[in-house]
Amino acid sequence: MRSSADPAPDERTILITGSTDGLGLAVARALAASGATVLLHGRDETRARAAFDQIRAETGSDRVRFYLADLSSLTEVGRLAEEVEADHDRLDVLVNNAGIALGRGGRRLSRDGHELTFAVNYLSHFLLTMLLLPLLERSAPARIVNVASIGQAPIDFDDVMLERGYEPFRAYAQSKVAQIMFTFELAARLERPDVTVNAVHPATLMDTKVVRATYGRAMTSVEEGAAAVLRLVSAPDLEGVTGRYFEGTRESTAHEQAYDPEARRRLWELSERLSGLTSSRRP
């Protein structure tokens, strides 16, 4: 029996993309331990089941689900949104965390023919957010957290898919600027305090598989990054705070392009076109 001194269980339903390992798994584990209904996401069923079993064993929670979708396919992104909406009558928090960093090899394309890093890190989350937005609005107060990066580079709208001069870090950095630009633009378009959207650079070179494979070393722990994400997910003092960029737990300033209304408008229109978003889904 829970004593009066124990914290009340978290009744929220929270979807975290890319939550089968690394930062996403750490965030999911903490939220499951708090009592929240946690919707895991991954593209590999074996790893998703392993994460599901691990969280259930460590937290004792029976409020964990997992969903499979390859975010390099916009069709699968749409299916993921449909499944979440069909299975749950509310969604209180969406954490757009999944991402890739291609450290070796040349330019690669998504299943839809878009530059792969841009497609997975940004475009998939643009579409997922827009498809789930009605459910988030019905569940308000609700929060959207976009996991970005301090590594940022401006988008060249004449070569968004980097057909000229492809470089892996540039691909990654422009995808993260796109996430932040989307954060700011969506916050402005929603114009409501009960559905907030913020972006965060959790920590620099966290000890994850992607970082070790790309850089060979880590600088910070996954736990430090998870704390920054969890603050945006749950902190009472951030209620109603929207359209901001954070580095760790403090508000910061993103790349200057993110504050350019014309650049944000161009990105939004491009994203609608590339994702096939219909007018009925626009805020």
Side-chain angles (χ1 to χ4, degrees):
M1 177 180 297
R2 188 170 61 88
S3 74
S4 59
D6 293 332
D10 191 338
E11 299 294 340
R12 295 175 301 171
T13 298
I14 301 171
L15 171 61
I16 308 159
T17 67
S19 45
T20 58
D21 62 12
L23 176 66
L25 179 59
V27 171
R29 185 189 302 115
L31 291 169
S34 75
T37 296
V38 175
L39 312 183
L40 302 172
H41 157 263
R43 63 175 181 169
D44 180 88
E45 184 171 3
T46 300
R47 288 170 58 186
R49 287 190 179 277
F52 172 82
D53 291 340
Q54 177 184 344
I55 291 176
R56 290 283 296 268
E58 291 180 357
T59 67
S61 173
D62 60 357
R63 300 177 63 191
V64 183
R65 310 286 185 270
F66 74 81
Y67 293 84
L68 297 175
D70 184 344
L71 298 189
S72 71
S73 164
L74 294 172
T75 298
E76 291 202 24
V77 172
R79 178 178 54 76
L80 172 62
E82 289 176 357
E83 290 178 354
V84 169
E85 209 165 14
D87 291 348
H88 304 277
D89 59 5
R90 66 179 304 107
L91 181 64
D92 302 274
V93 183
L94 170 62
V95 181
N96 290 317
N97 166 72
I100 60 172
L102 302 177
R104 297 174 183 171
R107 179 174 173 269
R108 294 167 57 188
L109 301 181
S110 71
R111 292 197 204 174
D112 304 287
H114 309 312
E115 192 279 314
L116 186 61
T117 309
F118 184 86
V120 173
N121 292 4
Y122 166 66
L123 191 59
S124 66
H125 289 124
F126 170 86
L127 180 59
L128 182 65
T129 301
M130 298 307 295
L131 294 178
L132 289 175
L133 191 57
L135 181 57
L136 287 158
E137 290 179 318
R138 292 195 299 271
S139 309
R143 300 186 184 192
I144 301 164
V145 178
N146 291 325
V147 178
S149 172
I150 199 172
Q152 302 165 26
I155 298 169
D156 177 358
F157 284 98
D158 293 324
D159 187 24
V160 176
M161 297 304 159
L162 302 179
E163 296 177 278
R164 305 184 299 272
Y166 173 83
E167 195 277 320
F169 180 75
R170 180 184 170 202
Y172 176 82
Q174 81 157 11
S175 75
K176 293 303 180 178
V177 160
Q179 279 186 308
I180 299 168
M181 292 169 73
F182 171 53
T183 299
F184 293 172
E185 186 66 12
L186 179 58
R189 291 184 182 227
L190 286 175
E191 293 185 333
R192 52 184 297 173
D194 57 352
V195 179
T196 63
V197 51
N198 293 293
V200 60
H201 163 70
T204 300
L205 296 182
M206 289 175 291
D207 189 13
T208 65
K209 181 169 58 179
V210 171
V211 166
R212 290 192 298 271
T214 305
Y215 299 98
R217 64 184 181 88
M219 292 178 59
T220 56
S221 69
V222 170
E223 290 71 25
E224 181 178 335
V229 175
L230 289 166
R231 180 168 184 271
L232 289 184
V233 168
S234 301
D237 63 299
L238 293 180
E239 183 177 350
V241 173
T242 192
R244 311 290 178 84
Y245 166 70
F246 294 81
E247 291 179 10
T249 58
R250 63 181 180 84
E251 188 175 344
S252 188
T253 302
H255 188 280
E256 62 183 1
Q257 189 182 50
Y259 301 94
D260 181 345
E262 175 62 16
R264 296 203 309 260
R265 181 194 63 79
R266 293 182 68 182
L267 176 64
W268 188 284
E269 292 178 356
L270 174 67
S271 303
E272 286 186 329
R273 186 167 71 252
L274 293 178
S275 66
L277 190 71
T278 63
S279 59
S280 63
R281 294 288 191 170
R282 296 171 185 160

